[in-house]
C-alpha cells in the first residue's frame, strides 16, 4: 500500500510570513515594498563585496529565497524586486574551474544556480550518511563492477550525465521513500540510471514503464496502475519510488540484506532470486554456482547499477564533473495559456544542461509536451525553473518568439494562388528557368492570356525501369568472451529486438557463444 506523503510547512512560506510580520508594524509606510527592497538591496551589496565563490553562492541562495518568498506573500510585488535581484545575480563571480563561464551573461547566468547537494569532493561527504556508508560497505568492488564503471565513463558517459541531471529534478519526490526505509540515495540513482536514464515516460518491449520500470503485475501488487483517470501511476515518480522502496525492503528481508541478490531479484525475478539463494545456502551473487543461474541481462544489470551508484558517490576520483543543477523544489503558476514545448523555448537552459523539457515532463508526468495548459495551472518545478519562467516567458521578445514557434504550422508555408492554364504554366516555367523567379506569382496582371488553340495531346512516355538497389551489406561481429547481446547492442548502436531476431536468439536470455559470429542487423554502424 502506498503511503501518502507527510505534509510539511513550506520554508519559503515561513520566510514570507516572517517578512510580513516584520513589516506589519510599518503598515502605514508610504511604500509597502520598502522592507522587501531594503533586504534585497542589502543582499546585493553583500554579494558584490563577497570574497569567495562559496560566500557568493550562499548569499545568492538567500536572494533566491527572498524572491521566492515575495512570490508567495500577499501584497508583495515581485516586479519591484527583480531589477535589484538581476544586478545582484550579475555580480556573481564565475567559477574559475568552469571553462564556459566566460561565455555566459544575462539571464541564463542567473538561472544557473548550483545545487547545494552536488557532490563536491572526491568522496561526496554530504552524501555519505549511514545509508550510503552501509551501501559502500556491503557491495563488492570487483572486475565486473570496474568494467561497469569503464562503460559508464566511455561510450555511456552521455547517459550517465543525462541520468544525473534528470535525477536531480526527480530527487525531491523520490528520495524520501528510500530514506524512510534506510535505503541508499546512491542505490536509487544507480537503479534509475540503468532502468530509464531518469526519463519518466519510457517503456520497455516487455511492458515495463516509468522511471523504475515496473511490470504491470508487480506494479499492481504495490498499488501502481490506472488511477481511474486513464493515467498509469507507474509513471508517477513519487508513487513508483514508494513501491520500489517497499519492494527492496521485502527483498532485503528475504535475502539477508544482500544488495547484489536484491538487485538480481529486481531485474531477473524475485522467485528465481529466492530459489537460487536458498538452494545455494545463501552464497554471494558472484559465486559461480549462483551467477550462472541468472540470465545474461541480470548478470549485466547488477554490476552496472552498482557502478553508477559508485560514480555518484565518487565523481571527482574518476574525473567526472556532473552538471550543476538547481534542485530546490518550487511551484510555477502559469500566467497565460502555454505548453511545455513553448515553456522550454522561452525558459532557455542552465549552463551544461539540455534545457527544461525533460524536467517539466518528469515533474509533471500527466501532461504531454504539446498539451495546452490554462492560465492559473500550477506546475511542479525548481527555483531556477520558476525564475526562468518569470523572467523569460511572461512577457518580452523571447516570450513572443517562443509563442510564434509553438503555433507555427508547416502547412501554412504552402501558398496557393490559383490554377494555371497550360500556356501560363509554360510561360511561368520559362521565367523560373531563366531568372529563378515566378513573375506571374508576383504580379497577377502580368499573367499570359490563354491561347484559343487546343493543346496538343501529350506524347506517350516510356516508363523507366526502376533502379534496383544493391542490398546493403550487413556487418558481422565475432562474439568475445564476456560479451552479452545487450553489451553488443550498446557498443554498435543496435536495436536489441531486431538484433536478436536477425540472429535467431530468443528472450529472455539472448545467449551468445564466444567465438560465434552474429549479424549486426538494425545497427547504427
Amino acid at each position: 500500500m502506498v503511503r501518502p506523503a507527510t505534509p510539511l510547512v513550506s520554508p519559503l512560506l515561513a520566510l514570507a510570513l516572517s517578512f510580513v510580520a516584520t513589516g506589519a508594524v510599518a503598515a502605514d509606510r508610504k511604500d509597502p515594498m520598502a522592507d522587501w527592497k531594503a533586504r534585497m538591496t542589502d543582499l546585493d551589496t553583500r554579494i558584490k563585496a563577497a570574497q569567495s565563490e562559496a560566500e557568493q553562492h550562499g548569499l545568492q541562495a538567500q536572494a533566491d529565497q527572498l524572491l521566492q518568498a515575495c512570490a508567495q506573500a500577499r501584497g508583495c510585488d515581485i516586479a519591484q524586486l527583480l531589477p535589484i535581484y538581476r544586478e545582484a545575480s550579475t555580480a556573481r563571480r564565475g567559477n574559475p574551474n568552469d571553462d564556459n563561464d566566460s561565455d555566459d551573461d544575462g539571464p541564463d547566468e542567473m538561472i544557473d544556480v548550483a545545487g547545494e547537494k552536488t557532490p563536491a569532493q572526491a568522496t561526496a561527504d554530504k552524501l555519505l550518511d549511514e545509508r550510503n556508508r552501509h551501501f559502500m560497505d556491503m557491495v563488492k568492488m570487483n572486475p565486473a563492477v570496474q568494467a561497469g564503471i569503464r562503460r559508464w565513463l566511455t561510450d555511456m558517459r552521455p547517459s550517465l550525465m543525462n541520468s544525473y541531471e534528470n535525477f536531480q529534478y526527480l530527487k525531491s519526490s523520490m528520495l524520501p521513500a528510500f530514506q524512510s526505509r534506510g535505503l541508499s540515495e546512491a542505490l536509487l540513482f544507480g537503479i534509475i540510471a540503468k532502468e530509464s536514464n531518469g526519463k519518466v515516460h519510457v517503456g520497455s518491449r516487455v511492458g515495463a514503464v516509468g522511471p523504475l520500470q515496473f511490470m504491470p503485475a508487480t506494479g499492481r501488487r504495490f498499488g501502481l496502475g490506472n488511477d481511474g483517470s486513464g493515467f498509469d501511476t507507474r509513471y508517477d515518480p513519487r508513487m513508483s519510488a514508494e513501491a520500489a522502496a517497499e519492494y527492496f525492503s521485502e527483498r532485503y528481508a528475504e535475502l539477508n540484506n544482500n544488495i547484489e541478490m536484491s538487485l538480481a531479484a529486481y531485474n531477473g525475478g524475485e522467485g528465481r532470486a529466492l530459489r537460487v539463494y536458498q538452494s545455494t545456502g545463501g552464497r554471494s551473487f558472484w559465486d559461480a554456482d549462483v551467477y550462472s543461474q541468472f540470465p545474461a541481462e541480470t548478470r549485466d544489470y547488477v554490476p552496472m547499477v552498482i557502478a553508477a551508484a559508485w560514480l555518484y558517490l565518487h565523481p571527482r576520483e574518476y574525473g567526472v564533473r556532473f552538471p550543476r543543477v538547481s534542485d530546490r523544489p518550487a511551484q510555477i503558476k502559469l500566467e497565460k495559456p502555454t505548453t511545455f514545448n513553448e515553456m522550454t523555448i522561452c525558459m532557455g537552459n542552465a549552463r551544461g544542461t539540455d534545457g527544461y523539457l525533460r524536467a517539466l515532463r518528469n515533474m509533471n508526468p500527466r501532461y504531454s509536451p504539446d498539451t495546452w495548459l490554462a492560465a492559473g495551472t500550477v506546475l511542479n518545478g525548481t527555483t531556477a525553473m520558476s525564475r526562468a519562467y518569470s523572467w523569460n516567458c511572461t512577457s518580452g521578445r523571447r516570450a513572443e518568439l517562443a509563442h510564434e514557434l509553438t503555433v507555427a504550422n508547416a502547412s501554412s508555408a504552402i501558398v496557393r494562388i490559383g490554377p494555371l492554364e497550360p500556356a501560363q504554366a509554360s510561360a511561368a516555367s520559362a521565367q523560373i528557368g531563366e531568372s529563378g523567379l515566378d513573375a506571374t506569382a508576383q504580379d497577377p496582371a502580368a499573367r499570359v492570356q490563354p491561347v484559343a488553340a487546343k493543346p496538343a495531346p501529350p506524347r506517350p512516355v516510356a516508363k523507366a525501369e526502376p533502379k534496383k538497389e544493391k542490398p546493403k551489406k550487413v556487418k558481422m561481429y565475432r562474439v568475445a568472451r564476456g560479451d552479452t547481446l545487450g553489451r553488443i547492442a550498446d557498443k554498435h548502436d543496435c536495436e536489441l529486438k531486431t538484433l536478436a531476431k536477425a540472429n535467431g536468439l530468443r528472450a529472455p536470455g539472448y545467449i551468445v557463444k564466444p567465438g560465434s559470429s552474429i549479424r549486426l542487423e538494425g545497427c547504427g554502424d
Side-chain angles (χ1 to χ4, degrees):
M1 178 178 178
V2 178
R3 297 183 178 89
T6 304
L8 300 174
V9 177
S10 167
L12 289 174
L13 181 59
L15 181 62
L17 292 173
S18 69
F19 289 148
V20 172
T22 303
V25 295
D28 58 341
R29 291 179 181 174
K30 293 182 179 180
D31 184 4
M33 289 293 298
D35 189 53
W36 291 93
K37 288 189 288 187
R39 292 172 184 268
M40 186 64 80
T41 300
D42 177 62
L43 286 170
D44 172 34
T45 302
R46 292 166 63 191
I47 289 172
K48 291 176 180 177
Q51 298 300 309
S52 68
E53 184 182 0
E55 184 181 359
Q56 282 186 329
H57 279 306
L59 292 169
Q60 182 65 51
Q62 294 182 39
D64 297 341
Q65 292 172 357
L66 179 61
L67 197 68
Q68 189 68 18
C70 175
Q72 296 186 8
R74 182 179 299 178
C76 184
D77 182 6
I78 196 171
Q80 295 188 41
L81 293 186
L82 277 174
I84 310 172
Y85 174 83
R86 289 170 181 165
E87 187 173 350
S89 298
T90 305
R92 282 181 54 196
R93 296 182 180 180
N95 181 352
N97 296 320
D98 196 328
D99 298 334
N100 296 324
D101 278 349
S102 59
D103 298 328
D104 288 323
D105 58 3
D108 285 341
E109 167 66 16
M110 287 165 263
I111 292 168
D112 183 25
V113 179
E116 292 179 347
K117 297 178 182 177
T118 301
Q121 307 297 329
T123 296
D125 293 332
K126 290 183 180 179
L127 294 175
L128 291 183
D129 57 13
E130 288 304 314
R131 305 174 188 90
N132 288 298
R133 292 184 191 280
H134 176 71
F135 168 81
M136 291 204 308
D137 290 340
M138 293 296 291
V139 298
K140 185 174 182 179
M141 176 61 69
N142 60 23
V145 175
Q146 291 173 327
I149 292 174
R150 181 181 68 238
R151 291 175 61 196
W152 283 119
L153 295 182
T154 51
D155 59 304
M156 294 184 67
R157 186 182 285 256
S159 295
L160 179 70
M161 294 300 174
N162 288 337
S163 298
Y164 178 87
E165 181 181 347
N166 293 334
F167 180 61
Q168 299 312 298
Y169 294 115
L170 293 170
K171 194 163 59 175
S172 62
S173 61
M174 299 185 76
L175 186 56
F178 267 53
Q179 288 182 328
S180 67
R181 292 169 175 82
L183 299 173
S184 165
E185 176 176 338
L187 175 64
L188 175 60
F189 170 74
I191 297 169
I192 284 178
K194 181 59 177 169
E195 292 285 1
S196 65
N197 287 154
K199 298 176 181 178
V200 163
H201 297 89
V202 299
S204 75
R205 65 185 185 282
V206 295
V209 302
L212 294 171
Q213 293 290 281
F214 271 95
M215 292 290 288
T218 310
R220 286 192 295 272
R221 204 176 106 210
F222 289 93
L224 301 178
N226 194 318
D227 66 355
S229 69
F231 178 71
D232 190 335
T233 56
R234 289 182 293 166
Y235 292 108
D236 185 281
R238 182 187 62 81
M239 294 182 68
S240 62
E242 287 275 0
E246 191 171 344
Y247 182 95
F248 269 97
S249 295
E250 286 187 3
R251 301 292 75 74
Y252 274 22
E254 282 183 345
L255 302 168
N256 195 28
N257 292 324
N258 187 304
I259 292 176
E260 288 93 345
M261 289 296 291
S262 297
L263 287 170
Y266 193 86
N267 177 261
E270 61 198 73
R272 183 204 303 265
L274 182 59
R275 184 172 63 253
V276 171
Y277 182 78
Q278 291 175 340
S279 66
T280 58
R283 294 184 194 175
S284 164
F285 173 79
W286 304 110
D287 186 285
D289 290 338
V290 175
Y291 185 80
S292 61
Q293 295 190 57
F294 286 100
E297 182 182 347
T298 302
R299 298 198 299 264
D300 176 72
Y301 178 87
V302 171
M304 286 298 289
V305 170
I306 294 172
W310 194 269
L311 287 170
Y312 186 75
L313 293 173
H314 305 85
R316 291 197 179 182
E317 184 176 335
Y318 295 91
V320 175
R321 295 177 64 192
F322 285 124
R324 300 193 307 174
V325 179
S326 173
D327 60 359
R328 291 187 294 276
Q331 291 188 321
I332 303 171
K333 186 175 182 179
L334 301 183
E335 296 191 14
K336 58 183 180 180
T338 188
T339 69
F340 284 173
N341 284 337
E342 182 176 330
M343 292 176 68
T344 301
I345 297 170
C346 61
M347 286 168 69
N349 66 282
R351 182 174 55 250
T353 64
D354 293 331
Y356 293 112
L357 180 59
R358 173 51 53 193
L360 285 166
R361 296 202 66 199
N362 278 357
M363 302 179 83
N364 305 275
R366 292 176 180 270
Y367 301 124
S368 298
D370 55 358
T371 299
W372 281 95
L373 306 173
T377 301
V378 177
L379 302 175
N380 295 320
T382 66
T383 53
M385 293 166 66
S386 177
R387 288 199 309 275
Y389 173 78
S390 298
W391 195 293
N392 298 312
C393 299
T394 57
S395 62
R397 181 55 181 156
R398 194 191 290 187
E400 294 171 0
L401 285 172
H403 186 71
E404 290 173 8
L405 295 173
T406 302
V407 300
N409 186 343
S411 63
S412 64
I414 310 303
V415 180
R416 187 177 297 279
I417 297 175
L420 293 177
E421 296 294 335
Q424 291 177 302
S426 299
S429 299
Q431 287 176 319
I432 294 174
E434 292 174 4
S435 64
L437 176 66
D438 185 355
T440 62
Q442 299 279 324
D443 182 5
R447 290 180 178 173
V448 180
Q449 294 299 317
V451 180
K454 293 182 179 180
R459 295 179 180 179
V461 179
K463 293 184 179 180
E465 289 292 330
K467 292 182 179 180
K468 294 184 178 180
E469 294 185 3
K470 295 181 179 179
K472 187 177 179 181
K473 187 176 180 181
V474 178
K475 293 182 179 180
M476 304 296 292
Y477 175 79
R478 184 173 295 277
V479 179
R481 186 177 299 276
D483 272 343
T484 65
L485 193 66
R487 186 173 299 175
I488 295 169
D490 287 343
K491 183 177 180 181
H492 295 277
D493 191 21
C494 307
E495 176 63 37
L496 182 63
K497 191 174 181 180
T498 303
L499 188 62
K501 185 178 180 181
N503 291 277
L505 301 175
R506 295 185 178 180
Y510 296 135
I511 297 174
V512 292
K513 296 181 180 179
S516 63
S517 295
I518 65 172
R519 292 167 54 85
L520 296 179
E521 192 81 38
C523 301
D525 58 2

